[in-house]
Amino acid sequence: MAGATILLVEDNAVNRRLAEFLLRSQGYRVREATTAQEAFDLLSSERPDLILMDVQLPTMDGLEATKKLKENPATRDIPVIAVTSYAMKGDRERALAAGCVDYLTKPLDKTRFLQLVSSYVGRKIRGS
Ligand code: MN
């Protein structure tokens, strides 16, 4: 999708920079939040095409945040992909149960990451 906007919810600056770099390399616009509350605040005035949600966030974790987004008519149609550093048995099921459309583990596999994002928002190649 031309000009697709991705909301990146990630509290770790290094992970955030990497994901942002990969997304921008494909021409996506990137918005950032470091906590669930920051994401909610941003979503009160903006409507991204996709949300990448770190599961391990301070105060309110990413799955709880996703449940809240899914309860809100204004945000429930925005696809959310969960991202976690600690892949454990049952994580995928918990992410889907919370309302996420898919699930990724860190460290991000660049190809898989961009393929998955593209499958939800379409491809936007820089310069095309
Ligand atoms: Mn985190």
Side-chain angles (χ1 to χ4, degrees):
M1 185 193 298
T5 300
I6 319 285
L7 171 57
L8 186 57
V9 189
E10 166 65 77
D11 61 319
N12 180 283
V14 173
N15 292 337
R16 210 166 52 239
R17 255 181 249 125
L18 172 63
E20 182 187 0
F21 173 79
L22 293 173
L23 293 168
R24 288 198 196 281
S25 78
Q26 300 301 300
Y28 297 118
R29 282 196 294 253
V30 181
R31 302 290 283 122
E32 295 179 359
T34 61
T35 63
Q37 189 57 54
E38 276 186 26
F40 297 152
D41 291 348
L42 186 142
L43 288 163
S44 68
S45 60
E46 297 186 39
R47 211 268 186 202
D49 300 291
L50 177 70
I51 299 171
L52 292 168
M53 182 71 80
D54 181 25
V55 172
Q56 289 85 24
L57 291 171
T59 315
M60 179 187 293
D61 74 50
L63 297 186
E64 193 60 36
T66 300
K67 284 182 198 159
K68 292 217 176 298
L69 295 177
K70 294 299 151 182
E71 288 165 2
N72 181 347
T75 53
R76 73 174 161 221
D77 294 334
I78 306 172
V80 179
I81 297 175
V83 185
T84 184
S85 314
Y86 308 100
M88 289 187 291
K89 192 170 160 58
D91 273 358
R92 184 181 189 86
E93 290 69 23
R94 275 191 286 278
L96 298 181
C100 298
V101 290
D102 222 314
Y103 171 84
L104 281 169
T105 54
K106 290 180 271 192
L108 293 174
D109 175 276
K110 180 188 171 191
T111 304
R112 164 100 181 110
F113 173 65
L114 291 176
Q115 274 174 354
L116 191 62
V117 168
S118 167
S119 75
Y120 287 102
V121 301
R123 196 175 296 275
K124 171 74 167 79
I125 303 295
R126 181 186 290 277
S128 67

